[in-house]
Amino acid sequence: MTSTASSATAAKDTGPARDNESVHAAAERISAAGESRPRPGRDPVNLPMIHNWAEALGDGNPVYTNAEYAETSVHGGLVAPPAMAQVWTMGGLHPEPAPDDPMRAMTAALDEAGYTSVVATNCEQTYHRYLRHGEHVAVTTKLEEVTGPKRTGLGEGWFLTLRYTWYVDTEAVAEMMFRLLKFRPADGDEPARPTPEPAGDNTADESDPRTGSPILPAINRDTAYFWEGTAAGELRIQRCGRCGLLRHPPGPMCSECGATKPTHLVACGHGQVYSYVVHHRPPVPGKELPLVIALVELDEGVRVLGELHGIDPDEVHIGLDVEVFFRQVDEQVTLPCWRPRTEGK
Amino acid sequence: MSGVSGIASIAGIGATEFSKESGRTELQLAAEATRTALDDAGLDPSEVDGMVTFTMDTNTETAVARELGMGELSFFSRVHYGGGAACATVQQAAMAVTTGMAEVVVCYRAFNERSGQRFGQVQPAVAGAATSAGVDNSWSYPLGLGTPGAQVAMFARRYMHTFGATSEDFGRVAVTDRKHAATNPNAWFYQRPITLAEHQDSKWITEPLHLLDCCQESDGGVAIVVTSTERARDLPHPPAVVQAAAQGSGSDQFTMTSYYRDDLTGLPEMGLVGRQLWQQAGLGPQDVQVGILYDHFTPFVLVQLEELGFCGRGEARDFIADGAVELDGRLPINTHGGQLGEAYIHGMNGITEGVRQVRGTAVNQVDEAHNVLVTAGTGVPTSGLVLSAE
């Protein structure tokens, strides 16, 4: 499961002090300190908090709140929603950072070096098991990586990667990778970024490299069937309503017979890697790198691009048998992705 | 089309310094390059009546004209498809001069492409645009294929698979360009040659492309003055005659992502440019002494050698293996250092190098350079020129 959080605060530039050496030294010292001491949650995992959270998010699964129902479930009793992991150790309205909190130490070092502004870029949570009501959770924080200085759309800055681990006693129950950018705000005359014109049948582009949110496709009436298909778990290929020509990427007029009545078929979802790349840099908003992207020739004969998962990049080769699966990136957009085909043809 | 051949010439060239941070606006770069080019041509800004640039350029013709104090313009035009526009700006100018629409046309391109908007980074806005291009890009950018390097890497992988080319074959192009840049004081990588081992050791950008397979990002401006060959003869420099000028877009053409054609190992749009150039000029590959081949990424330099007829399909790696594209080889390429070595000015600095070779004033001058081939951006609808000495 993945969630993306972002927040931005602007702070005034404190001056030109830019000492990369001091940043590197601080990063080394703080990462070397390893995990912070476990900071216990205020309350044990409890039903009232779960009630509030589930209600706010519209999650009506009774296994979180109905003891009788939960008894009969695979869990054999009440459990907490996994995505609440962070909730159990939140510091309340006026949180007091722990003295050995690596995030506080590293952001202070960057403030000192003139990188005074902050924006969260991305966050990924991993859940090792469900929490049970009554369990006591504690969290540790560790500075994993500091990279920079990087030039970004917001200004020059450093990316901080932190790892949070939630424990019950000594057992790790959930983890979170949290990345943020500490930057020197750019001068006022930075070049304007082009902004697309919104159109009636176009899903507005809300992607923004500054927040690391994924790039969303422009969808119009020529291409909507494809994205409706991926959302429904189908890989749809345009098929001319007159001559039957299969075509991807699609368009409004058949290049073969001139008809403007496209239909589609649902591909079986199998194909072979026709070509592929392993992308290492620069960063791609919303993607973890390195990323394998494959151009797949479907059994139906057309080619479709997509991320290739479930295989070591070094093992990928042209001709690899793959099958489609789908990844939802937001409410409107689901991407087709590839993975090695497990069953025989 | 072949009616253009020989009638127009490049009479002046100009450029700013090539840097990573120009410290001035793109308009100032365009104005400076244009003034230098007009000085080189021995013409006054008031004599200019035509302007051509890229649709991607942020400086309007009118803004540049105002800075130079130009008067009336009777011809202005822009060409699309990124670096594919480079040689087509001269084609537009040559057509205008040949048909009498204008007498003196300035072609220009200026940007802060390193200190401002960097083309090597992911630009999410291009995928979301409510245009056919935005929809085209929506089949690649959201899927994670969002940089020119990654888009070319997809072709490169298939090319390697089909013909057995290796990363070292690509690397030889980079080594050659950097060798030429090393002796060009205007090149960013002046006195900084690389070895094939350094190419192989450079970090991955998008496999199979290493960092040193990718051109630089640069700030700078270039301008070119086109007028009639007849008039050019009376100007300070010998004319660089536009012997041929062509554009090309292939079937099922996309911008950077023509992945849906039967074959992924060629650049049919460049093949089309080549056929037109040879036909217009009445020349063939054996008749050019220098090739300025667009080099944003090394693999497409090999493919261009094949598409333009210098060698057969899949044979470019053998063609270059013995140093054929170095200064003393059969076809020296990118004698200024190319975009890998000199600067990335969207192909326009390659045209100025072609002019210097024809004039005999290049820092890495090739003997008897009568005919020079120049190409524009690859992977996109593109263009090319044959420039000749009289």
Side-chain angles (χ1 to χ4, degrees):
Chain A
M1 277 179 257
T2 299
S3 67
T4 302
S6 72
S7 64
T9 56
K12 200 163 164 55
D13 190 352
T14 53
R18 248 194 294 182
D19 187 353
N20 294 353
E21 283 309 308
S22 76
V23 173
H24 283 299
E28 205 160 300
R29 177 171 47 79
I30 296 162
S31 339
E35 277 183 296
S36 63
R37 274 196 303 281
R39 183 170 55 77
R42 199 156 55 173
D43 300 303
V45 175
N46 63 85
L47 185 61
M49 192 64 94
I50 293 173
H51 261 305
N52 291 336
W53 189 91
E55 193 171 77
L57 270 79
D59 187 341
N61 190 337
V63 78
Y64 301 137
T65 52
N66 181 330
E68 209 170 298
Y69 175 88
E71 286 289 330
T72 64
S73 74
V74 292
H75 301 291
L78 284 170
V79 292
M84 282 186 77
Q86 199 176 3
V87 170
W88 305 118
T89 53
M90 278 186 169
L93 200 53
H94 305 290
E96 194 58 45
D100 64 343
D101 178 16
M103 161 123 99
R104 189 172 74 159
M106 195 63 227
T107 53
L110 284 163
D111 284 340
E112 186 82 1
Y115 300 92
T116 51
S117 293
V118 65
V119 61
T121 61
N122 60 317
C123 154
E124 280 192 19
Q125 298 190 347
T126 308
Y127 313 115
H128 298 304
R129 71 159 170 89
Y130 282 83
L131 287 169
R132 296 189 169 278
H133 293 215
E135 285 189 307
H136 287 269
V137 183
V139 66
T140 67
T141 315
K142 178 173 181 276
L143 179 66
E144 280 203 331
E145 195 181 22
V146 176
T147 56
K150 305 268 191 190
R151 190 187 292 269
T152 76
L154 292 174
E156 188 183 85
W158 300 73
F159 287 94
L160 275 56
T161 307
L162 295 138
R163 181 158 299 275
Y164 293 76
T165 310
W166 284 273
Y167 292 93
V168 171
D169 298 325
T170 57
E171 180 194 7
V173 291
E175 288 176 57
M176 174 169 78
M177 183 281 288
F178 181 60
R179 188 171 292 135
L180 53 85
L181 170 67
K182 281 285 284 178
F183 63 97
R184 292 170 59 79
D187 298 338
D189 63 350
E190 66 180 300
R193 295 184 337 111
T195 44
E197 294 278 330
D201 59 351
N202 188 355
T203 55
D205 176 21
E206 288 168 359
S207 63
D208 184 335
R210 293 174 300 185
T211 60
S213 53
I215 300 175
L216 301 178
I219 300 176
N220 66 16
R221 59 186 64 182
D222 296 334
T223 65
Y225 78 94
F226 180 88
W227 301 104
E228 286 161 13
T230 55
E234 293 179 354
L235 183 63
R236 296 178 179 174
I237 302 302
Q238 189 181 67
R239 185 170 190 273
C240 175
R242 188 196 286 163
C243 76
L245 181 79
L246 294 183
R247 181 180 175 204
H248 183 85
M253 180 177 287
C254 178
S255 56
E256 196 68 30
C257 76
T260 53
K261 298 270 181 248
T263 62
H264 66 260
L265 59 73
V266 177
C268 75
H270 298 155
Q272 294 190 320
V273 171
Y274 186 80
S275 190
Y276 70 97
V277 303
V278 185
H279 188 80
H280 293 266
R281 48 183 70 81
V284 182
K287 309 283 187 194
E288 282 284 315
L289 302 182
L291 176 67
V292 181
I293 302 142
L295 178 64
V296 170
E297 191 154 285
L298 298 180
D299 289 357
E300 288 83 0
V302 300
R303 296 183 199 137
V304 181
L305 271 178
E307 297 171 24
L308 174 58
H309 292 279
I311 182 168
D312 187 292
D314 291 336
E315 308 269 301
V316 183
H317 57 90
I318 288 175
L320 178 74
D321 281 321
V322 295
E323 63 186 13
V324 75
F325 73 101
F326 298 94
R327 270 201 175 173
Q328 187 173 357
V329 292
D330 80 348
E331 278 176 16
Q332 281 138 26
V333 177
T334 298
L335 297 179
C337 299
W338 306 105
R339 64 187 170 208
R341 205 176 157 195
T342 44
E343 43 192 302
K345 265 195 164 179
Chain B
M1 264 300 297
S2 50
V4 172
S5 181
I7 295 172
S9 286
I10 296 176
I13 53 175
T16 64
E17 83 288 1
F18 304 130
S19 75
K20 300 298 177 188
E21 183 148 18
S22 74
R24 47 211 200 273
T25 62
E26 295 181 333
L27 179 58
Q28 185 173 339
L29 296 176
E32 288 179 16
T34 300
R35 187 169 290 283
T36 308
L38 287 168
D39 288 347
D40 184 62
L43 292 169
D44 189 84
S46 63
E47 295 177 86
V48 176
D49 56 1
M51 302 278 281
V52 186
T53 187
F54 295 43
T55 49
M56 275 184 83
D57 202 273
T58 61
N59 309 294
T60 60
E61 303 89 317
T62 48
V64 177
R66 282 198 312 269
E67 295 313 302
L68 274 293
M70 292 175 185
E72 296 175 324
L73 298 179
S74 59
F75 176 74
F76 26 94
S77 173
R78 288 186 172 220
V79 188
H80 200 46
Y81 306 113
C87 295
T89 62
V90 174
Q91 184 199 35
Q92 289 280 306
M95 289 195 292
V97 166
T98 302
T99 56
M101 298 297 165
E103 285 185 27
V104 176
V105 182
V106 172
C107 308
Y108 65 93
R109 178 76 175 113
F111 52 22
N112 287 321
E113 192 273 327
R114 180 59 181 78
S115 66
Q117 191 175 26
R118 299 173 60 179
F119 298 172
Q121 302 291 308
V122 179
Q123 298 179 59
V126 303
T131 60
S132 67
V135 172
D136 282 353
N137 290 328
S138 295
W139 302 112
S140 56
Y141 282 71
L143 286 316
L145 202 69
T147 59
Q151 291 165 339
V152 171
M154 193 67 81
F155 286 93
R157 174 80 67 187
R158 187 73 198 182
Y159 181 85
M160 294 165 90
H161 172 81
T162 305
F163 296 123
T166 64
S167 170
E168 292 193 341
D169 295 323
F170 301 154
R172 287 188 184 92
V173 173
V175 171
T176 300
D177 276 12
R178 290 289 292 270
K179 184 176 176 182
H180 297 168
T183 51
N184 171 9
N186 292 323
W188 178 258
F189 286 114
Y190 177 50
Q191 294 179 335
R192 283 185 283 174
I194 56 167
T195 63
L196 194 55
E198 285 169 327
H199 168 272
Q200 289 294 294
D201 288 343
S202 66
K203 62 188 176 184
W204 290 120
I205 297 300
T206 304
E207 292 179 58
L209 298 188
H210 288 276
L211 173 67
L212 292 177
D213 286 307
C214 308
C215 73
Q216 329 167 46
E217 296 175 300
S218 304
D219 287 8
V222 167
I224 292 159
V225 180
V226 177
T227 190
S228 67
T229 302
E230 196 180 339
R231 185 164 179 184
R233 288 187 190 115
D234 299 332
L235 298 174
H237 296 284
V241 179
V242 180
Q243 204 64 42
Q247 281 188 294
S249 171
S251 64
D252 210 7
Q253 180 79 52
F254 283 74
T255 301
M256 297 303 289
T257 55
S258 299
Y259 296 155
Y260 310 97
R261 295 164 168 167
D262 289 345
D263 182 30
L264 212 62
T265 59
L267 290 166
E269 53 280 1
M270 188 60 82
L272 171 59
V273 167
R275 292 196 302 279
Q276 295 177 80
L277 292 179
W278 302 139
Q279 190 264 329
Q280 286 178 34
L283 299 172
Q286 69 283 357
D287 300 316
V288 298
Q289 290 77 41
V290 183
I292 308 294
L293 303 183
Y294 197 93
D295 57 341
H296 53 4
F297 300 98
T298 55
F300 277 162
V301 173
L302 299 189
V303 180
Q304 287 183 81
L305 289 167
E306 297 165 12
E307 289 287 356
L308 294 163
F310 292 98
C311 58
R313 295 238 174 255
E315 294 172 5
R317 66 196 179 106
D318 304 318
F319 180 84
I320 67 165
D322 63 352
V325 290
E326 297 191 10
L327 282 181
D328 51 358
R330 297 191 297 286
L331 178 73
I333 65 164
N334 302 347
T335 46
H336 56 321
Q339 302 190 101
L340 290 152
E342 186 183 62
Y344 173 80
I345 313 292
H346 241 165
M348 293 295 271
N349 50 324
I351 301 175
T352 58
E353 174 66 4
V355 172
R356 285 187 295 265
Q357 285 290 352
V358 166
R359 288 180 179 177
T361 60
V363 287
N364 294 315
Q365 183 62 44
V366 172
D367 290 341
E368 317 261 320
H370 293 301
N371 300 309
V372 177
L373 171 72
V374 187
T375 62
T378 43
V380 294
T382 188
S383 53
L385 295 171
V386 175
L387 302 176
S388 302
E390 279 208 298

